Amino acid sequence: MGAENVFTASIAALWLAPVGTTAPEGPTVTMPTGWRNVGLFTPDSLSWSGDPEFSETEAHQSAYPVKVWQTKDAASLEVELLEWSAVNFQAVYGGGSIEEITPSGGGAKYYKYTPPSIGTRSEVAAVLELGDGTRRMRRIIPRCMQREGVQQELSRDESATLPLNLSVLGSDVGSAFYDVFNTAFASFAPPVVTP
């Protein structure tokens, strides 16, 4: 145990794809076809949070619960995207459509973004890639969805960001998310069992 086990996420990337896209088989392989890197994001915005919920039974004889059990689980990934693009807008607003419009009365073409209507938000798959020196890991989320309101600060003295907040979704098959680490994370090696 020691400083070699301290991790600083000095390298970070976020990839999105349609649900069902083949996940990478390991922390360092090239991302499979269908994944898109969201590009630049602010250095202090990347965060992960878990929010399990519990119920408990109390007894008159104890100041502490006598039984506790988990009833729900939740997790989310947040990041402030710096790159304004059609696909990033769709990720941040949970879908929607982009059209190229040619004005009927003449004039320059323009693009129109329409956010998704109620009930039409899109699910996506996500891979968060982190690195520290030779150590590499990926957090793989097979299903997630943008389900937060979008609040933007549009200041004249700062670059405007796109706030992406993805809530992890579960299913009846496999884990809601999982992590893969390369062998440079030596402390993750399974313990040797001696007979």
mmCIF file of all heavy atoms in Angstrom, residues 19 51 65 77 82 85 87 90 99 107 149 165 171 188-189:
data_model
loop_
_atom_site.group_PDB
_atom_site.id
_atom_site.type_symbol
_atom_site.label_atom_id
_atom_site.label_comp_id
_atom_site.label_asym_id
_atom_site.label_seq_id
_atom_site.Cartn_x
_atom_site.Cartn_y
_atom_site.Cartn_z
ATOM 1 N N VAL A 19 -27.736 2.883 -27.637
ATOM 2 C CA VAL A 19 -27.838 1.713 -26.768
ATOM 3 C C VAL A 19 -27.717 0.451 -27.623
ATOM 4 O O VAL A 19 -28.291 0.362 -28.706
ATOM 5 C CB VAL A 19 -29.181 1.721 -26.003
ATOM 6 C CG1 VAL A 19 -29.407 0.413 -25.275
ATOM 7 C CG2 VAL A 19 -29.215 2.880 -25.025
ATOM 8 N N ASP A 51 -26.451 7.224 -5.486
ATOM 9 C CA ASP A 51 -27.469 7.640 -4.530
ATOM 10 C C ASP A 51 -28.376 6.468 -4.154
ATOM 11 O O ASP A 51 -29.535 6.410 -4.560
ATOM 12 C CB ASP A 51 -28.291 8.790 -5.126
ATOM 13 C CG ASP A 51 -29.256 9.393 -4.124
ATOM 14 O OD1 ASP A 51 -29.026 9.255 -2.908
ATOM 15 O OD2 ASP A 51 -30.262 9.988 -4.559
ATOM 16 N N PRO A 65 -31.070 1.728 14.120
ATOM 17 C CA PRO A 65 -31.957 0.787 13.426
ATOM 18 C C PRO A 65 -31.526 -0.647 13.743
ATOM 19 O O PRO A 65 -30.328 -0.928 13.889
ATOM 20 C CB PRO A 65 -31.726 1.105 11.947
ATOM 21 C CG PRO A 65 -31.109 2.448 11.908
ATOM 22 C CD PRO A 65 -30.378 2.629 13.189
ATOM 23 N N LEU A 77 -23.700 10.666 -14.026
ATOM 24 C CA LEU A 77 -22.435 11.180 -14.537
ATOM 25 C C LEU A 77 -22.695 12.582 -15.052
ATOM 26 O O LEU A 77 -23.633 12.793 -15.832
ATOM 27 C CB LEU A 77 -21.931 10.279 -15.668
ATOM 28 C CG LEU A 77 -20.720 10.732 -16.456
ATOM 29 C CD1 LEU A 77 -19.482 10.746 -15.563
ATOM 30 C CD2 LEU A 77 -20.500 9.819 -17.646
ATOM 31 N N LEU A 82 -17.728 21.699 -23.624
ATOM 32 C CA LEU A 82 -17.297 22.968 -24.212
ATOM 33 C C LEU A 82 -17.641 23.070 -25.699
ATOM 34 O O LEU A 82 -17.776 24.166 -26.228
ATOM 35 C CB LEU A 82 -15.790 23.156 -24.024
ATOM 36 C CG LEU A 82 -15.345 23.558 -22.618
ATOM 37 C CD1 LEU A 82 -13.844 23.355 -22.445
ATOM 38 C CD2 LEU A 82 -15.732 24.994 -22.334
ATOM 39 N N SER A 85 -22.090 21.405 -30.755
ATOM 40 C CA SER A 85 -22.306 20.707 -32.019
ATOM 41 C C SER A 85 -23.709 20.119 -31.990
ATOM 42 O O SER A 85 -24.334 20.021 -30.924
ATOM 43 C CB SER A 85 -21.267 19.586 -32.204
ATOM 44 O OG SER A 85 -21.450 18.584 -31.217
ATOM 45 N N VAL A 87 -24.696 17.021 -32.357
ATOM 46 C CA VAL A 87 -24.792 15.785 -31.572
ATOM 47 C C VAL A 87 -24.653 16.064 -30.078
ATOM 48 O O VAL A 87 -25.287 15.401 -29.258
ATOM 49 C CB VAL A 87 -23.776 14.721 -32.058
ATOM 50 C CG1 VAL A 87 -24.210 14.142 -33.390
ATOM 51 C CG2 VAL A 87 -22.378 15.286 -32.136
ATOM 52 N N GLN A 90 -28.015 17.384 -28.896
ATOM 53 C CA GLN A 90 -28.953 16.276 -28.742
ATOM 54 C C GLN A 90 -28.651 15.476 -27.479
ATOM 55 O O GLN A 90 -29.574 15.040 -26.792
ATOM 56 C CB GLN A 90 -28.929 15.387 -29.981
ATOM 57 C CG GLN A 90 -29.571 16.069 -31.176
ATOM 58 C CD GLN A 90 -29.424 15.277 -32.452
ATOM 59 O OE1 GLN A 90 -28.361 14.747 -32.752
ATOM 60 N NE2 GLN A 90 -30.493 15.197 -33.222
ATOM 61 N N GLU A 99 -32.515 20.497 -38.283
ATOM 62 C CA GLU A 99 -32.905 20.661 -39.684
ATOM 63 C C GLU A 99 -32.091 21.791 -40.306
ATOM 64 O O GLU A 99 -31.776 22.762 -39.634
ATOM 65 C CB GLU A 99 -34.374 21.062 -39.796
ATOM 66 C CG GLU A 99 -35.381 20.109 -39.230
ATOM 67 C CD GLU A 99 -36.768 20.726 -39.280
ATOM 68 O OE1 GLU A 99 -37.323 20.857 -40.398
ATOM 69 O OE2 GLU A 99 -37.269 21.109 -38.211
ATOM 70 N N GLY A 107 -32.478 34.390 -48.750
ATOM 71 C CA GLY A 107 -31.640 34.594 -47.570
ATOM 72 C C GLY A 107 -30.789 33.370 -47.277
ATOM 73 O O GLY A 107 -30.882 32.338 -47.951
ATOM 74 N N GLY A 149 -33.015 19.079 -16.021
ATOM 75 C CA GLY A 149 -33.230 20.322 -16.745
ATOM 76 C C GLY A 149 -31.891 20.918 -17.162
ATOM 77 O O GLY A 149 -30.864 20.644 -16.551
ATOM 78 N N ASN A 165 -25.900 15.745 -17.987
ATOM 79 C CA ASN A 165 -26.130 15.001 -16.752
ATOM 80 C C ASN A 165 -26.845 13.716 -17.119
ATOM 81 O O ASN A 165 -28.038 13.727 -17.409
ATOM 82 C CB ASN A 165 -26.959 15.827 -15.772
ATOM 83 C CG ASN A 165 -27.095 15.159 -14.423
ATOM 84 O OD1 ASN A 165 -27.074 13.926 -14.322
ATOM 85 N ND2 ASN A 165 -27.243 15.947 -13.390
ATOM 86 N N SER A 171 -31.384 -2.722 -16.085
ATOM 87 C CA SER A 171 -32.121 -3.686 -16.909
ATOM 88 C C SER A 171 -32.139 -5.005 -16.166
ATOM 89 O O SER A 171 -31.554 -5.135 -15.093
ATOM 90 C CB SER A 171 -31.460 -3.853 -18.282
ATOM 91 O OG SER A 171 -30.239 -4.540 -18.164
ATOM 92 N N PHE A 188 -5.329 -4.179 -8.090
ATOM 93 C CA PHE A 188 -6.586 -4.823 -8.449
ATOM 94 C C PHE A 188 -6.405 -6.296 -8.776
ATOM 95 O O PHE A 188 -7.390 -7.008 -9.009
ATOM 96 C CB PHE A 188 -7.250 -4.115 -9.638
ATOM 97 C CG PHE A 188 -8.021 -2.895 -9.243
ATOM 98 C CD1 PHE A 188 -7.355 -1.709 -8.953
ATOM 99 C CD2 PHE A 188 -9.392 -2.919 -9.163
ATOM 100 C CE1 PHE A 188 -8.066 -0.571 -8.576
ATOM 101 C CE2 PHE A 188 -10.118 -1.792 -8.781
ATOM 102 C CZ PHE A 188 -9.438 -0.617 -8.491
ATOM 103 N N ALA A 189 -5.168 -6.779 -8.810
ATOM 104 C CA ALA A 189 -4.926 -8.199 -9.114
ATOM 105 C C ALA A 189 -5.594 -9.062 -8.055
ATOM 106 O O ALA A 189 -5.521 -8.749 -6.857
ATOM 107 C CB ALA A 189 -3.432 -8.470 -9.163
#
